Amino acid sequence: QVFLGLTKTGELIAVKQVDLIETEVEETEKEYTKIFQEVTLLKSLVHDNIVKYLGSTYEHHTVSIFTEFIPGGSLATIIERFGPLELPVTARYTRQLLNAIAYMHENGVVHRDIKSANIMLVPNGTVKLIDFGCAKRLALRLSRSGSHLQKSLRGTPYWMAPEVVNDSGHGRKSDIWSLGCTVFELVTGKPPWGDREPFAAMYAIGSDDFPVPTLPESFRIRVRDFVSQCMMR
């Protein structure tokens, strides 16, 4: 659950709370240790297009994670309210997202759940990536291709990269795929394979038998090419 909080200095913040299992004390403490390490990592990320993490607490089997409060709503709610976005607006948001992703990747962090619902809009037109619940330091070992990988299945079906769906190990490139899906969503109003049920979409994403969706030819060639370059199996 997410709440609006007020600090002792009078600032509004967002408070995300997670209830942990009370009966398994040792497991609960291990889980909080993981969350605390993650929040400590996220506090080190300082970027105009990434939500600011403030800290966390653990009381009465409830973890509270404190972050900057962003009043504008997510891009998902913007699409619901205004419909597909115009290309200049999409370009403005995408440029900011690319800056945030480049910064994260340079610091060894993958988001693993990039989508419009996890991108908040500040009233002045600035966007910020939120919900790093899936973010982890990339594994130190190298794959055959030279990429740092994580092998756990995380993310949301319609925006998942094929290597995430197939659990074949994924890294920075998975965020780029999700970015392509997000741009597709911003300009059309729904993500690729959005007309399928989630599990059917996952099957299509992970199978070479299904071609990767492309934007209609009514869109400019540069836009179609950008999305296609991001969404490469």
Side-chain angles (χ1 to χ4, degrees):
Q1 293 179 296
V2 182
F3 299 92
L4 185 63
L6 182 68
T7 70
K8 291 183 178 179
T9 56
E11 297 172 289
L12 290 174
I13 62 172
V15 184
K16 185 173 185 177
Q17 292 193 326
V18 182
D19 291 325
L20 302 178
I21 301 171
E22 295 185 23
T23 54
E24 300 175 11
V25 178
E26 289 186 11
E27 288 299 315
T28 297
E29 291 177 351
K30 287 180 183 178
E31 191 65 29
Y32 175 66
T33 300
K34 292 178 184 177
I35 294 172
F36 178 77
Q37 290 172 344
E38 188 165 283
V39 172
T40 301
L41 161 65
L42 296 176
K43 283 174 66 178
S44 69
L45 297 180
V46 181
H47 192 277
D48 289 342
N49 302 118
I50 295 176
V51 68
K52 185 178 180 181
Y53 277 74
L54 306 172
S56 67
T57 61
Y58 175 43
E59 295 179 291
H60 308 298
H61 304 286
T62 297
V63 175
S64 297
I65 300 172
F66 308 102
T67 71
E68 167 189 14
F69 170 63
I70 305 171
S74 72
L75 291 190
T77 61
I78 296 298
I79 294 172
E80 288 179 10
R81 183 171 297 175
F82 299 102
L85 304 182
E86 297 292 333
L87 292 183
V89 177
T90 300
R92 178 179 182 179
Y93 295 164
T94 302
R95 185 181 297 110
Q96 295 179 63
L97 290 172
L98 284 168
N99 286 333
I101 292 168
Y103 174 80
M104 286 190 312
H105 290 181
E106 286 168 3
N107 284 277
V109 175
V110 285
H111 187 282
R112 301 202 291 178
D113 199 14
I114 294 173
K115 58 182 179 179
S116 65
N118 283 340
I119 304 164
M120 300 297 286
L121 177 63
V122 180
N124 67 5
T126 299
V127 295
K128 292 178 180 275
L129 269 173
I130 65 165
D131 202 354
F132 282 70
C134 296
K136 296 287 182 186
R137 278 288 183 190
L138 289 168
L140 294 178
R141 66 181 178 81
L142 295 174
S143 71
R144 293 175 185 175
S145 63
S147 296
H148 296 282
L149 300 178
Q150 289 282 353
K151 279 198 169 183
S152 55
L153 182 62
R154 298 290 179 88
T156 310
Y158 299 107
W159 296 264
M160 281 182 179
E163 62 270 26
V164 179
V165 170
N166 294 326
D167 197 20
S168 59
H170 60 287
R172 296 173 177 87
K173 293 180 181 180
S174 305
D175 277 348
I176 301 304
W177 173 284
S178 297
L179 173 69
C181 294
T182 301
V183 174
F184 191 109
E185 177 190 15
L186 294 180
V187 298
T188 66
K190 62 180 182 179
W193 290 289
D195 56 344
R196 295 172 178 260
E197 292 295 321
F199 281 102
M202 288 179 67
Y203 180 77
I205 292 167
S207 173
D208 290 333
D209 295 336
F210 292 86
V212 177
T214 56
L215 288 174
E217 292 189 3
S218 57
F219 286 94
R220 295 176 188 174
I221 183 65
R222 284 186 179 182
V223 182
R224 288 186 281 134
D225 183 60
F226 178 86
V227 171
S228 295
Q229 290 286 347
C230 289
M231 296 178 63
M232 294 178 66
R233 283 197 174 98

